[in-house]
Amino acid sequence: MKNTLLKITGFFALAVLLVSFTNSPKINSLKIGKKAPMTNYEMKNVSGEDYSLEKLAYENGILVVFSCNSCPFVVGNKEMEGWQGRYNEIHDLCKRNNIGMVLVNSNEAKRTSADSFTEMQKHSKNQKYDAAYVMDVNSKLADAFGASTTPHVFLLDKDLKLVYKGAIDDNVKSKSSVTKNWVKDAIISSGKKEPVLLPETRNSGCSIKRL
C-alpha cells in the first residue's frame, strides 16, 4: 500500500512539473542581424535620469547586459567569482571602441526585495559601476529582446542591429581561468566594423524573474 501511494504521489508530482514546464511562456530571442526593438524605450537609471538605448549608444553601437543584484552568476558566491567584477573592464573596452554600454535590471518579480530601485542604487554604488544601470519595468525590454538569464548580453552595431548575443566569457568561476573572451572579441570586431566571428554563444545564469 505504501509503495502504491509513493508511486501515485510521484506520478502527480511529475504531472505538476510537466504542466508547469509546458505552460511556461516561450521566449523568442532576438536574431542575429535583426534591428533591436524598443530602442527608444526609456528606463530610469540609478541616477534618476531616464535613458533609452538610442541615448546611450555610441557611434559604433551599444552593449546591453541584462543583469541584477541577486543572481550568484552576477554577484558571485563561494563557488564562483561572478561576472559583475568584469563589467567595468568591459565598459572601458566599449568606450575605447566607441560603443556604449548599459546594465538592465528586468527582475520585476523581485521589485519589493533584492531588485528594488533603491537596492539597485545601493548595488551600483557599492560595485562602482561605470555603466548606466537601468530598471526595466515589467520586463518589457527583456521580453522584446528575448533575454532569459542574468547575465545575458546583446551587442548592437552602429545601426542597432544584433551582432552578438550570449555569455560574457567561458568561466564565471574565475576571471583568471577564462580562455574564451566572447563579448570582448565581439566588441573589438564591432569597433573595427568587422564581422563578429562567433556571433552567438550559450548564455548561463539565473532566470530573469518575470511576473
Side-chain angles (χ1 to χ4, degrees):
M1 182 66 178
K2 185 177 180 181
N3 288 338
T4 302
L5 286 173
L6 285 172
K7 287 180 181 178
I8 293 172
T9 303
F11 172 80
F12 278 108
L14 179 60
V16 169
L17 178 62
L18 288 173
V19 169
S20 176
F21 180 79
T22 303
N23 289 340
S24 297
K26 180 175 175 58
I27 297 174
N28 293 311
S29 185
L30 183 64
K31 304 295 184 186
I32 299 295
K34 294 295 183 181
K35 179 78 179 287
M38 296 182 66
T39 55
N40 61 352
Y41 166 56
E42 295 202 337
M43 297 166 285
K44 184 179 285 189
N45 183 34
V46 290
S47 65
E49 300 170 284
D50 292 332
Y51 290 126
S52 66
L53 301 187
E54 290 177 1
K55 285 182 180 178
L56 292 170
Y58 287 12
E59 182 182 341
N60 290 331
I62 184 169
L63 178 69
V64 182
V65 182
F66 289 90
S67 190
C68 69
N69 302 337
S70 51
C71 171
F73 285 82
V74 175
V75 304
N77 60 20
K78 291 181 180 179
E79 286 74 40
M80 62 181 98
E81 183 180 284
W83 271 302
Q84 73 175 0
R86 302 165 213 184
Y87 284 175
N88 284 351
E89 186 177 316
I90 293 168
H91 178 265
D92 289 343
L93 183 63
C94 281
K95 284 186 70 175
R96 292 200 298 273
N97 284 276
N98 210 8
I99 293 169
M101 178 175 169
V102 61
L103 306 171
V104 182
N105 188 316
S106 302
N107 273 0
E108 190 64 26
K110 300 183 77 173
R111 290 292 182 232
T112 59
S113 55
D115 287 294
S116 69
F117 186 68
T118 300
E119 290 302 317
M120 285 175 59
Q121 290 177 310
K122 291 178 182 176
H123 193 75
S124 177
K125 184 177 181 179
N126 289 340
Q127 296 301 316
K128 299 180 180 178
Y129 285 161
D130 291 329
Y133 187 26
V134 300
M135 182 172 66
D136 177 21
V137 176
N138 293 326
S139 311
K140 290 180 181 177
L141 192 71
D143 288 348
F145 273 62
S148 58
T149 58
T150 51
H152 197 172
V153 304
F154 294 77
L155 178 61
L156 311 179
D157 68 7
K158 62 183 181 63
D159 299 315
L160 300 181
K161 293 180 179 179
L162 185 65
V163 294
Y164 174 79
K165 67 175 178 179
I168 289 172
D169 55 48
D170 68 345
N171 202 312
V172 65
K173 291 184 178 181
S174 170
K175 175 183 170 182
S176 62
S177 300
V178 169
T179 60
K180 295 180 176 64
N181 280 296
W182 296 312
V183 77
K184 287 183 178 179
D185 291 345
I187 289 166
I188 292 168
S189 294
S190 196
K192 294 178 180 178
K193 297 180 175 62
E194 297 175 351
V196 175
L197 295 180
L198 186 63
E200 186 171 350
T201 60
R202 183 176 179 179
N203 54 300
S204 299
C206 304
S207 63
I208 291 176
K209 303 303 184 287
R210 293 167 163 88
L211 287 175

